[in-house]
Amino acid sequence: MDVQLRRGLLDYCVLAVLKEEDSYGYMIIKKMAPILEISESTLYPILKRLESNEFVSSYSVEHNGRLRKYYKVTEKGTIRLLDFTKEWEDVEAVINYIKGVVKK
C-alpha cells in the first residue's frame, strides 16, 4: 500500500479499534495487525494527536501493580469516524472509475 495512503488511514483505524472497546497501546497494535501493521513508535504519536484533537480521551487502570493507560473514543471521535465513512463513498466512486478504465 502507498505510504501516504496508509498514513492517512492509520488515524481512522485506531479510532475504529477504540470504537469497538477502550484499549491500551499494545492491544491496539495487536487488533490492527490483521489490517495494517503499526509500531509503537508510530502508534503513540497518533494517540497523542487524537487526544489533543479531542477524538480520544485517556484514563489509567492499575494492572499487576502498574498503571496502564487506556484510550477511549469521544463523541467527537465517533462523529469523525462517521464523517470519514461518508467521505470514503466519494473515494470509492473514484476507485470504481479507475478500475473501469484500467479494465478496458
Side-chain angles (χ1 to χ4, degrees), residues 10-45:
L10 285 174
D11 287 16
Y12 299 106
C13 288
V14 170
L15 284 173
V17 166
L18 294 174
K19 181 69 179 150
E20 288 183 322
E21 67 178 315
D22 299 359
S23 194
Y24 54 96
Y26 178 72
M27 188 55 66
I28 295 168
I29 291 169
K30 285 188 71 162
K31 288 182 180 181
M32 286 182 61
I35 304 158
L36 287 171
E37 283 191 36
I38 185 171
S39 66
E40 288 182 30
S41 62
T42 300
L43 175 64
Y44 286 105

Side-chain angles (χ1 to χ4, degrees), residues 55 73-86:
F55 295 133
V73 173
T74 62
E75 184 176 343
K76 187 175 177 182
T78 298
I79 291 168
R80 184 64 196 120
L81 266 176
L82 290 170
D83 290 345
F84 173 74
T85 58
K86 291 174 188 170

Side-chain angles (χ1 to χ4, degrees), residues 1 3 5 7 12-15 18 22 27 32-33 41 43 46 52 56 58-59 71 75-76 87 90 95:
M1 180 182 295
V3 173
L5 178 59
R7 222 178 266 147
Y12 299 106
C13 288
V14 170
L15 284 173
L18 294 174
D22 299 359
M27 188 55 66
M32 286 182 61
S41 62
L43 175 64
I46 290 170
S52 69
V56 301
S58 63
Y59 59 93
Y71 296 89
E75 184 176 343
K76 187 175 177 182
E87 292 168 5
D90 294 337
I95 291 170

Side-chain angles (χ1 to χ4, degrees), residues 98-104:
I98 292 170
K99 284 179 173 178
V101 170
V102 170
K103 287 181 181 178
K104 289 182 180 181

